[in-house]
Amino acid sequence: MPGQRKRKQRRLRETDRRSLPEGPGRWETLLSTEDHAEFRTFVHRMYAQGLATDPNLVRLDQFCGRLQHPTTYRVSVFVPAPA
């Protein structure tokens, strides 16, 4: 269908813009591992303890591995800059 790629890209950009945290700050890495079970356990424990109250302030990344680099999982939290 003509123009579908443009619409999809625009929709993805709008979604990314809505989910960005407000104001200046930085992403702080809490966990970086190659073990998926450890990653999943950490995320479940983090949500159970109430450390992740706003899902827009937590970033869960999966870096796909290839032959030389294994798949890596990372949990980051947005830390706002002090006022």
Side-chain angles (χ1 to χ4, degrees), residues 46-47 50-58:
M46 188 173 70
Y47 279 102
L51 298 175
T53 56
D54 187 5
N56 290 333
L57 300 179
V58 177

Side-chain angles (χ1 to χ4, degrees), residues 5-70:
R5 180 183 294 173
K6 261 187 184 176
R7 284 192 302 272
K8 185 175 182 181
Q9 289 175 348
R10 188 175 341 133
R11 188 173 58 240
L12 288 174
R13 281 194 307 266
E14 290 170 359
T15 304
D16 289 343
R17 197 176 313 123
R18 273 192 313 240
S19 63
L20 289 176
E22 298 280 331
R26 61 184 166 76
W27 289 97
E28 184 175 313
T29 302
L30 296 180
L31 175 75
S32 183
T33 183
E34 296 173 3
D35 184 21
H36 181 66
E38 180 184 359
F39 169 74
R40 200 172 70 230
T41 304
F42 182 82
V43 171
H44 286 295
R45 194 173 343 123
M46 188 173 70
Y47 279 102
Q49 292 175 353
L51 298 175
T53 56
D54 187 5
N56 290 333
L57 300 179
V58 177
R59 188 168 68 186
L60 307 175
D61 297 317
Q62 176 181 350
F63 300 102
C64 295
R66 297 289 186 253
L67 296 175
Q68 296 176 347
H69 303 289

